[in-house]
């Protein structure tokens, strides 16, 4: 995992998926499904399942722990899905072990395992987590 100050590179206009940040993991998955479909990725494939799982985990964590999703981007470039989710909390994700009283803790390691690359960048308004997932 890389951590560094923010420097947002703008994708080419034809690759950008503009719009408001999704308000739920389901809305984010719907956007990623559309991007994958347009790229010719079968939505019943393991590749799509991995991409949707990473999307769900990052958006759910942004909502639960980061004060909500402040930015969202899903692009395809060179046979990879580039996924970026911003939230309002500058604290970086930290692995934790769930307990009976407080279950969970599996999402962050799962994201790190499924993504080819994970990059966390802090900025004055929070953080952005960007992932690269191979499609081919």
């Amino acid at each position: 995992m890389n951590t560094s100050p923010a420097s947002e590179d703008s994708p080419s206009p034809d690759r950008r998926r503009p719009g408001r940040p999704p308000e739920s993991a389901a809305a984010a998955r719907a956007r990623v499904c559309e991007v994958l479909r347009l790229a010719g990725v079968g939505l019943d494939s393991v590749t799509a399942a991995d991409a949707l799982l990473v999307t769900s985990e990052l958006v759910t964590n942004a909502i639960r722990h980061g004060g909500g999703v402040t930015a969202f981007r899903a692009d395809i470039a060179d046979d990879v899905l580039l996924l970026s989710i911003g939230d309002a909390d500058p604290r970086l994700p930290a692995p934790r072990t769930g307990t009976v009283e407080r279950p969970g803790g599996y999402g962050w390691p799962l994201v790190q395992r499924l993504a080819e690359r994970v990059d966390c960048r802090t900025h004055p308004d929070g953080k952005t987590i960007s992932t690269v997932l191979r499609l081919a």
Side-chain angles (χ1 to χ4, degrees):
M1 176 176 69
N2 297 325
T3 56
S4 58
S7 67
E8 289 293 316
D9 294 337
S10 292
S12 63
D14 59 326
R15 292 286 193 194
R16 187 166 200 164
R17 304 287 177 231
R20 297 171 136 211
E23 295 182 12
S24 68
R29 286 191 307 271
R31 288 195 195 178
V32 171
C33 279
E34 181 64 10
V35 170
L36 294 173
R37 188 187 64 73
L38 290 171
V41 176
L43 297 181
D44 60 347
S45 67
V46 171
T47 300
D50 289 351
L52 295 172
L53 185 54
V54 168
T55 301
S56 288
E57 287 297 331
L58 291 177
V59 170
T60 298
N61 286 343
I63 293 167
R64 278 190 183 161
H65 308 294
V69 178
T70 59
F72 181 87
R73 194 174 94 202
D75 299 304
I76 304 285
D78 299 326
D79 291 327
V80 298
L81 171 66
L82 306 168
L83 184 63
S84 295
I85 288 101
D87 68 40
D89 189 341
R91 289 178 298 164
L92 296 175
R96 72 174 182 87
T97 303
T99 64
V100 172
E101 297 81 26
R102 191 172 173 215
Y106 302 105
W108 183 239
L110 191 58
V111 167
Q112 292 177 307
R113 184 171 276 190
L114 293 175
E116 184 172 299
R117 193 177 89 222
V118 178
D119 184 45
C120 299
R121 295 174 186 257
T122 60
H123 44 81
D125 297 327
K127 70 178 164 297
T128 301
I129 299 175
S130 300
T131 62
V132 173
L133 289 105
R134 179 96 15 225
L135 299 176

